[in-house]
Amino acid sequence: GARASGEGRLMRRGATLAAAALLCGCAFTSERPLFAGADGRALFADGAQFEWRENGSEADKRTVVMRRRGEKYDIEMIGEDQPLRGAVFVPITSTPQDDFIVQLHITAETEAPAYAFMWAIAGGYRVVGAPGVVDETPEGERALAAECAARPNSECQVTSAGALERIYRAGLYSRFVAGAETPGD
């Protein structure tokens, strides 16, 4: 997971998302987008700048710029060539926390979206985008087995928004969001 710091709550959200999307070698994916821009929440002003730090580390800080593109965002990392495109922050309404499923495109060449899960923590937000974090428990492994249509190269390909929420609830929510554990990745 990634942890962000900054001057405001909205800054921390964008920062953690960018960190997670860049650092995940394996991901939750689907063949087509599962959410439209209208499903998401407008969280950031166009051009908002953020600082992110991987897992709260002072050693690796980067500047992130959020660019509003209609109902979606492009996330630009200063010093990187390609922005993360079409980010949609979809609220998870079945939980009382300020938590989201994030859909985005990691490169311009990739039309299939990737997904991450984002929730509030003290001093920022945490983002998990790696299926390996979910399958660390029997409940998480069962959720991946039931909800992933395919699991190539440590990925989890899903076919529905409901599958993503069920994975989140079984493999992340009780441990990390409602519980006291911190993801190791």
Side-chain angles (χ1 to χ4, degrees):
R3 183 173 180 216
S5 68
E7 294 179 359
R9 184 176 208 174
L10 299 180
M11 291 175 58
R12 291 186 291 268
R13 287 182 183 163
T16 55
L17 171 65
L22 291 174
L23 297 172
C24 290
C26 52
F28 293 96
T29 62
S30 65
E31 289 185 6
R32 62 173 181 71
L34 301 176
F35 302 102
D39 296 325
R41 187 177 294 164
L43 298 176
F44 314 106
D46 184 37
Q49 292 190 18
F50 311 98
E51 178 184 275
W52 73 264
R53 295 181 286 155
E54 178 186 353
N55 292 323
S57 170
E58 291 290 331
D60 189 10
K61 294 181 185 180
R62 295 187 189 201
T63 301
V64 176
V65 179
M66 301 298 286
R67 299 282 182 205
R68 188 85 170 142
R69 305 285 185 234
E71 296 176 318
K72 300 178 181 180
Y73 292 92
D74 288 348
I75 304 170
E76 300 173 10
M77 293 286 280
I78 302 299
E80 299 289 330
D81 292 337
Q82 295 185 14
L84 304 171
R85 299 178 305 110
V88 179
F89 299 87
V90 181
I92 299 174
T93 58
S94 65
T95 63
Q97 284 80 9
D98 192 18
D99 48 2
F100 300 85
I101 295 171
V102 184
Q103 173 183 275
L104 55 88
H105 300 273
I106 296 188
T107 68
E109 295 80 32
T110 305
E111 287 305 315
Y115 300 89
F117 304 100
M118 180 174 81
W119 64 90
I121 61 171
Y125 279 78
R126 178 128 359 242
V127 175
V128 170
V133 175
V134 175
D135 71 7
E136 292 174 349
T137 66
E139 299 83 7
E141 179 56 38
R142 282 192 295 274
L144 292 179
E147 303 298 345
C148 298
R151 292 180 73 179
N153 303 319
S154 300
E155 291 182 19
C156 172
Q157 294 179 351
V158 296
T159 59
S160 72
L164 285 167
E165 188 166 337
R166 288 185 294 274
I167 289 168
Y168 173 73
R169 295 292 302 252
L172 299 172
Y173 181 77
S174 62
R175 287 177 65 203
F176 304 124
V177 183
E181 290 185 55
T182 300
D185 185 1

